[in-house]
Amino acid sequence: MNRTFAEGAVVLAPRGRDGAIARAMLAEAGLVAETVPDLAALVAALRRGAGFAIITEEALRNADLRELAAFLADQQEWSDFPFILLTERGGGLERNPGAVRLLETLGNVTFLERPFHPTTLVSLAKAASRARIRQYQARARLEEINDGQASLKLALSAGGLGTWTLAMPARTLSAAPESKAHFGRGADDRFDFEDLIDTVHPKDRALLEDALAESVAMGVDFDLEARCLWRDASLHWVQINGRVERDPSGSIVRLVGVSHEITERRQDELRQRALLELGDALRHMTDADKMSFLAARILGETMGVSRAGYGTIDPVRETITVKRDWNMPGIESLAGTLHFRDYGSYIEDLKRGDTAAIADARLDPRTADGASALEAISARAFINMPIVDNGQFVALLYLNHAEVRPWSAEDIAFIRDVANRTQSAIERRNAETALADLADSLEREVEVRTRERDRTWQNSQDLLGVIDPHGRFVAVNPAWTEILGWYPRDMEGRAYDDFVHPDDALASQAAYRQAQVEPLRQFENRIRHRDGSYRWVSWVASSGDGLIYASGRHVTAEKEARLELEAAQAQLRQAQKMEAVGQLTGGIAHDFNNLLTAISGSLELMQIRVRQGRSGDVERYVEAAQQAAKRAAALTHRLLAFSRRQTLDPRPTDINRLIVSLDDLLRRSVGPTIELEVVGAGGLWTALIDPNQLENAVLNLCINARDAMPEGGRITIETANKWLDEKAAAERQLPPGQYVSLCVTDTGSGMSAETIERAFDPFFTTKPLGEGTGLGLSMIYGFVRQSGGQVRIYSELGQGTTMCLYFPRVVGQHAIDEVALPTEATLPLASGETVLVVDDEDAVRMLVTDLLADIGCNYLEAADGPAGLAILDSPVRIDLLITDVGLPKGMNGRQLADAARQKRPDLKILFITGYAENAVIGNGHLDPGMHILTKPFPMDVMSARIRDLLGTGGEGAVGNGT
């Protein structure tokens, strides 16, 4: 016997799609299921290991069950394999000798009569799975008994078993905590034999006494299943088993045994019997009132409540009218009309379609005021389950109990199952009556519609076809001849893929398989014309009665036009890309030629004046060259921002505070004719961004807004917290999540759709020649995207413009104030420290080493990473490493710094770079003692940074040289 702890189901249902349907039902309930084609495969699957089996009766009818019986005979003592047998309609156990035969063969079998509600199958499957799991657990307990008393106790506890001892003849009871729990008592509660008798249901006390007397008198095992009432008034079932023990003289001195709560199993059994009884009875009933009373009686007896009934509802008057209900002896009927408001406010739950389950009317706020009225009608606890028809609250199934009673989820599910079955049976009977009344007229209507269908088949301009399960045409309409030249006699009996273009064969086969299980919508393929050419056809299809019904529209002209349009659009996009590249390169060449002319011209005139001895004009040319160099650096910075390759200094930033700090600058920049309004959101989240870049972006946006309002207007700067769900995030091309938005809105001239489309292109501008570079918005776009955010433009001509920047929220951090570098006047001069300079540009090394000499430092230099590493591996003293990030010969500056830190862990490092990729510098986060300075940098800033690092030894930070 396989010893695998398997919980899944094996389904044997060879007829139609029964097996697939059952497997889908179980999967929806979270149960794993395997379908098998025949009895031999079933037995093989059971021997591999399974939790339970679901079998249709016809699969076993007249079958040779010897192999299955052999499997059951091979089971160990702990195993009682559960089966769920789906019987035919009308095949109740008492009327079906074959079912009795199967019961004798299978042993642990539950019969479920078809048709059944999916909830019933799932409930039985879960019960079978739980039972099988308990068998596995019991097996484990039996195997551990030999390990000693500790293992025995653990096994009993794991299986829900509690031990007890009853000393005779004094009837002194000693119970383990697990056994006490079975009777609703705590581990520290007193629990003697008198307490046991009090706990047992009054109707079962005599059974307990009789079983005990027989065991003592006859010396036989004690075996009893009894109902118990816990202190909370809930009803439970307990199984009690014991064995007598004798002294050497043969007298019985005690009974020892175990108890096990079987409430769930007994409830499942009672409820399954109740459902079978309900199904059998409803099948032969036609009167709706009698069907409702039957359901009430079965519920009342099964649930053990005081009353159960069914009534019709007037939702406007908030009344229920009861014709007849079931009542326990001594309980009065509620027949008549009652007003819900007389008993509480729970009518509001019922109107919403919610079940009202009240365990104690005195304690529930919905019924506390009406508790006395409810107790007067024996309804201190109750369940009211609304019946909804076409969205309207029309009827109510109710259960009342005179005492406090908790209602479990299983209780409510069982009641709902009964209600659904009864309502379905009533609706089915009503429908059958209505169908019988309409039979004659429907027959005539069918005839009319059949003629209409035939005319549609003949006259349709679409390709209509019927395909059998083997993929062969059963019938085609005349449109095939008109469109594709094929006569029906040419196609009927041939496979559909004989007419499909070879390149579309795989896709057409997939579409055919899809149409077999679900409707096919708008699938296109090429179908062969009789002359050998192909036509494009757009198909829809669905299945029924094992056939596929397909309708195809001839779309060759539309398809060709669409392909031509797509090709034209692709050419247009390529032309636009080339135009953008041309603008970019032309703009860069224009601006850099101007700047290089200023730099080279100034240098040449400086050289001429020095030769002439006219040093008075040199300063003017130096200033001109420096200004041109700064403008070139700014242009490069903007290009890096657009390309999202600039070196950022991201910090947790309070955007509201940053905007407030810019207030004076912004107002001076936009001028007195512009009204500036700032609307900061309360509780604004923190964003991880470069505050300097954000300041530049806000200033740039405000200046653009000012230029769009030459005659004055209003600029509004607004911040907000944004939750972007999947749809909103997809519209902004962002991942879903939390974002901080910063929007700048003006009342200016607005933008056209064409302008919005190109607004972020480099060097694109709508301003007159010479009044704008066209890099402002592209720089903002690059900065925001590099920060993980997005930019969106909302504008209409004449209606103003809104520019919104979205930045990801950073959680768990606070804004960090910027710390300015000390001025050169406060920095000490160096005193002989040694600095290693590594840069592959000779001119840069010359400038840096000359600067180091000027401030009193010793220096060493190298042109690449390996040469620098050789110096670092030597014993020479080095106080600071200055290195470019991009170095030749296979080792970049970050790798050099990391290698240096292996032997010199406290070495200070300053990266100098014109383009530092995030992967090299750690995505904007450097280790302590590492700094960065962006090229080109002013020499005074470089001097200040070197002196600061050599003098103060501060912790690392990412800087941009400002």
Side-chain angles (χ1 to χ4, degrees):
M1 177 67 189
N2 188 282
R3 301 173 68 88
T4 304
F5 278 73
E7 303 175 19
V10 181
V11 181
L12 174 58
R15 177 187 297 174
R17 299 182 61 244
D18 288 352
I21 293 172
R23 183 174 62 186
M25 291 180 184
L26 297 177
E28 186 173 356
L31 297 174
V32 176
E34 173 189 2
T35 59
V36 294
D38 51 37
L39 187 60
L42 171 71
V43 174
L46 298 184
R47 289 192 180 278
R48 289 195 301 270
F52 59 100
I54 299 176
I55 311 175
T56 59
E57 182 185 1
E58 60 270 16
L60 301 181
R61 190 181 297 131
N62 301 323
D64 185 353
L65 303 181
R66 284 179 295 179
E67 282 296 322
L68 181 58
F71 160 76
L72 296 174
D74 290 342
Q75 295 184 101
Q76 296 186 13
E77 294 180 355
W78 58 265
S79 178
D80 187 13
F81 190 88
F83 294 86
I84 299 174
L85 187 65
L86 308 183
T87 66
E88 293 289 347
R89 183 190 301 269
L93 188 62
E94 70 281 5
R95 299 189 300 276
N96 194 336
V100 174
R101 165 178 167 262
L102 294 175
L103 177 62
E104 294 173 351
T105 301
L106 301 178
N108 184 7
V109 59
T110 301
F111 293 89
L112 178 58
E113 183 177 335
R114 294 177 288 186
F116 54 84
H117 194 276
T119 305
T120 305
L121 177 62
V122 171
S123 177
L124 289 176
K126 288 185 176 180
S129 178
R130 290 194 297 269
R132 189 60 172 169
I133 292 173
R134 286 195 292 270
Q135 291 178 23
Y136 290 139
Q137 295 169 341
R139 176 188 67 186
R141 292 193 300 274
L142 291 174
E143 293 175 343
E144 293 172 355
I145 288 176
N146 292 331
D147 293 339
Q149 291 300 319
S151 298
L152 174 61
K153 182 176 180 181
L154 179 61
L156 292 173
S157 176
L161 301 176
T163 59
W164 55 267
T165 302
L166 183 65
M168 301 300 292
R171 293 187 172 185
T172 302
L173 177 65
S174 175
E178 294 83 1
S179 183
K180 291 182 180 181
H182 297 156
F183 298 91
R185 301 300 175 91
D188 298 328
D189 291 346
R190 190 192 75 173
F191 191 64
D192 54 24
F193 190 76
E194 288 73 18
D195 294 322
L196 171 64
I197 296 297
D198 290 341
T199 303
V200 174
H201 194 283
K203 293 184 178 181
D204 292 345
R205 291 172 184 170
L207 295 176
L208 173 63
E209 291 287 0
D210 291 345
L212 181 60
E214 180 183 7
S215 183
V216 172
M218 306 297 295
V220 297
D221 291 346
F222 182 85
D223 186 2
L224 177 68
E225 292 184 0
R227 290 169 292 178
C228 297
L229 292 172
W230 287 12
R231 288 174 173 173
D232 62 3
S234 59
L235 180 68
H236 299 261
W237 282 88
V238 179
Q239 181 176 350
I240 312 172
N241 299 96
R243 177 164 293 181
V244 298
E245 290 188 354
R246 303 176 184 272
D247 62 12
S249 66
S251 300
I252 296 176
V253 295
R254 70 180 64 85
L255 277 77
V256 296
V258 296
S259 62
H260 179 53
E261 186 182 355
I262 58 173
T263 305
E264 185 176 356
R265 178 174 66 99
R266 286 303 299 263
Q267 286 179 344
D268 287 344
E269 293 172 355
L270 291 174
R271 290 172 181 176
Q272 292 308 315
R273 285 201 294 267
L275 292 174
L276 290 173
E277 178 187 356
L278 179 68
D280 280 341
L282 288 176
R283 190 173 297 109
H284 305 291
M285 300 176 71
T286 58
D287 184 85
D289 291 338
K290 292 181 179 180
M291 297 167 81
S292 301
F293 179 75
L294 169 69
R297 178 185 64 77
I298 290 177
L299 277 175
E301 292 176 349
T302 305
M303 301 290 294
V305 295
S306 301
R307 178 189 298 111
Y310 179 94
T312 56
I313 298 297
D314 186 335
V316 177
R317 297 181 180 179
E318 298 183 342
T319 62
I320 178 173
T321 299
V322 179
K323 292 184 178 181
R324 183 185 178 192
D325 55 12
W326 176 90
N327 296 274
M328 187 182 288
I331 303 297
E332 296 183 359
S333 171
L334 290 183
T337 300
L338 293 85
H339 293 266
F340 284 101
R341 295 291 180 182
D342 293 341
Y343 304 97
S345 62
Y346 58 92
I347 179 63
E348 300 299 336
D349 295 339
L350 303 179
K351 286 182 177 180
R352 291 192 299 270
D354 298 333
T355 297
I358 307 295
D360 187 348
R362 298 181 185 178
L363 302 180
D364 195 288
R366 295 170 292 179
T367 55
D369 293 340
S372 58
L374 286 166
E375 292 184 58
I377 60 171
S378 304
R380 183 170 180 180
F382 65 85
I383 287 182
N384 280 3
M385 184 170 291
I387 307 299
V388 178
D389 185 17
N390 293 324
Q392 299 295 320
F393 177 27
V394 296
L396 183 74
L397 180 66
Y398 61 88
L399 278 73
N400 298 343
H401 197 60
E403 305 295 335
V404 174
R405 173 166 178 164
W407 306 100
S408 67
E410 290 77 12
D411 293 338
I412 296 175
F414 172 65
I415 297 168
R416 181 173 289 109
D417 195 359
V418 172
N420 291 340
R421 288 167 180 255
T422 306
Q423 185 69 11
S424 296
I426 293 173
E427 291 174 355
R428 183 172 61 251
R429 291 306 183 196
N430 292 338
E432 289 172 355
T433 302
L435 287 173
D437 294 340
L438 294 174
D440 294 338
S441 60
L442 285 176
E443 185 175 351
R444 290 191 297 271
E445 185 176 348
V446 167
E447 293 176 357
V448 173
R449 293 194 175 185
T450 299
R451 290 193 295 270
E452 292 176 351
R453 184 197 61 189
D454 292 341
R455 285 195 298 269
T456 301
W457 177 269
Q458 294 295 327
N459 299 331
S460 175
Q461 298 301 307
D462 290 339
L463 302 174
L464 304 180
V466 182
I467 305 174
D468 68 15
H470 302 291
R472 296 188 295 264
F473 282 107
V474 176
V476 295
N477 71 329
W480 287 82
T481 305
E482 181 180 347
I483 297 174
L484 293 170
W486 297 104
Y487 292 100
R489 64 176 179 272
D490 299 327
M491 303 187 63
E492 293 171 358
R494 291 181 62 181
Y496 74 89
D497 50 11
D498 288 349
F499 303 90
V500 175
H501 193 288
D503 293 345
D504 299 338
L506 292 178
S508 298
Q509 292 168 7
Y512 172 74
R513 289 192 295 271
Q514 178 184 342
Q516 290 179 313
V517 295
E518 64 180 358
L520 176 68
R521 303 298 182 198
Q522 199 173 359
F523 168 74
E524 293 183 356
N525 65 359
R526 287 163 288 185
I527 303 297
R528 181 163 52 90
H529 192 280
R530 190 180 183 89
D531 63 11
S533 61
Y534 287 89
R535 306 288 189 272
W536 280 98
V537 180
S538 177
W539 296 98
V540 295
S542 62
S543 62
D545 301 324
L547 300 173
I548 293 178
Y549 299 87
S551 175
R553 184 168 58 89
H554 182 209
V555 295
T556 300
E558 300 173 14
K559 184 77 173 181
E560 291 174 350
R562 186 163 65 246
L563 293 175
E564 290 176 1
L565 177 60
E566 291 175 355
Q569 290 175 338
Q571 291 176 355
L572 177 60
R573 285 193 295 270
Q574 182 64 25
Q576 290 174 338
K577 290 180 181 178
M578 295 307 297
E579 181 183 357
V581 171
Q583 288 181 341
L584 175 62
T585 55
I588 293 174
H590 176 269
D591 283 7
F592 267 106
N593 282 337
N594 287 339
L595 297 172
L596 290 173
T597 299
I599 295 172
S600 62
S602 296
L603 292 174
E604 289 177 11
L605 289 175
M606 287 168 55
Q607 188 178 39
I608 292 172
R609 294 295 185 266
V610 170
R611 290 173 180 171
Q612 295 173 346
R614 296 165 56 187
S615 59
D617 294 333
V618 171
E619 186 65 29
R620 182 158 58 95
Y621 300 136
V622 169
E623 183 178 353
Q626 287 178 335
Q627 291 298 324
K630 290 178 180 179
R631 288 171 57 199
L635 178 59
T636 304
H637 174 72
R638 291 185 175 186
L639 290 171
L640 288 174
F642 170 73
S643 64
R644 285 175 266 170
R645 293 296 187 271
Q646 64 178 327
T647 303
L648 297 179
D649 183 11
R651 308 175 192 176
T653 301
D654 182 340
I655 295 180
N656 276 345
R657 188 168 68 177
L658 183 144
I659 299 299
V660 170
S661 69
L662 289 175
D663 188 84
D664 290 340
L665 174 61
L666 295 178
R667 293 184 188 278
R668 288 196 305 270
S669 300
V670 300
T673 62
I674 304 296
E675 178 185 351
L676 180 64
E677 179 183 11
V678 177
V679 183
L684 189 68
W685 296 329
T686 301
L688 186 64
I689 53 178
D690 186 327
N692 293 326
Q693 295 298 327
L694 182 58
E695 289 176 356
N696 292 335
V698 173
L699 179 60
N700 205 324
L701 291 176
C702 288
I703 291 174
N704 283 352
R706 176 202 66 190
D707 294 343
M709 300 181 292
E711 298 181 0
R714 184 175 69 255
I715 298 175
T716 303
I717 304 176
E718 186 173 4
T719 60
N721 296 328
K722 298 287 186 181
W723 276 89
L724 299 185
D725 58 17
E726 290 189 4
K727 179 179 179 181
E731 291 174 353
R732 295 165 175 81
Q733 298 178 334
L734 288 170
Q738 297 175 321
Y739 292 85
V740 181
S741 72
L742 168 63
C743 296
V744 178
T745 302
D746 64 63
T747 58
S749 56
M751 300 184 190
S752 65
E754 293 77 13
T755 301
I756 294 175
E757 184 72 22
R758 302 187 60 192
F760 298 127
D761 290 351
F763 298 106
F764 174 77
T765 179
T766 58
K767 298 176 182 179
L769 185 63
E771 295 186 14
T773 64
L775 280 176
L777 288 181
S778 65
M779 179 186 69
I780 294 172
Y781 179 81
F783 152 63
V784 176
R785 293 298 284 162
Q786 191 175 352
S787 301
Q790 183 59 278
V791 186
R792 279 292 176 266
I793 303 176
Y794 308 93
S795 181
E796 292 183 18
L797 286 174
Q799 302 298 319
T801 300
T802 297
M803 302 285 297
C804 282
L805 316 183
Y806 296 89
F807 298 101
R809 178 190 183 185
V810 59
V811 181
Q813 301 187 50
H814 301 283
I816 301 174
D817 293 329
E818 299 182 31
V819 179
L821 289 172
T823 63
E824 187 165 351
T826 64
L827 292 170
L829 289 174
S831 54
E833 290 86 349
T834 301
V835 179
L836 172 60
V837 181
V838 184
D839 199 304
D840 59 330
E841 181 61 46
D842 295 338
V844 174
R845 289 203 314 276
M846 177 193 72
L847 292 172
V848 175
T849 54
D850 286 353
L851 178 63
L852 289 170
D854 287 346
I855 63 175
C857 290
N858 299 321
Y859 61 84
L860 301 169
E861 57 180 306
D864 53 59
L869 185 60
I871 297 174
L872 289 165
D873 287 341
S874 69
V876 66
R877 170 186 172 183
I878 299 176
D879 300 287
L880 172 64
L881 168 63
I882 299 176
T883 178
D884 192 1
V885 173
L887 293 174
K889 297 190 179 180
M891 176 178 285
N892 61 43
R894 180 57 188 260
Q895 293 169 332
L896 174 63
D898 291 341
R901 283 285 181 90
Q902 296 296 319
K903 292 187 177 181
R904 303 172 185 259
D906 298 327
L907 179 64
K908 300 181 184 68
I909 297 167
L910 176 61
F911 294 109
I912 54 174
T913 179
Y915 167 42
E917 291 193 28
N918 286 335
V920 175
I921 65 171
N923 201 21
H925 298 281
L926 294 177
D927 296 337
M930 292 185 179
H931 305 256
I932 189 166
L933 197 59
T934 304
K935 298 176 182 177
F937 43 77
M939 301 309 289
D940 58 343
V941 172
M942 180 67 165
S943 174
R945 180 60 62 91
I946 293 172
R947 294 193 219 185
D948 175 51
L949 294 177
L950 292 176
T952 62
E955 289 299 318
V958 179
N960 61 1
T962 58

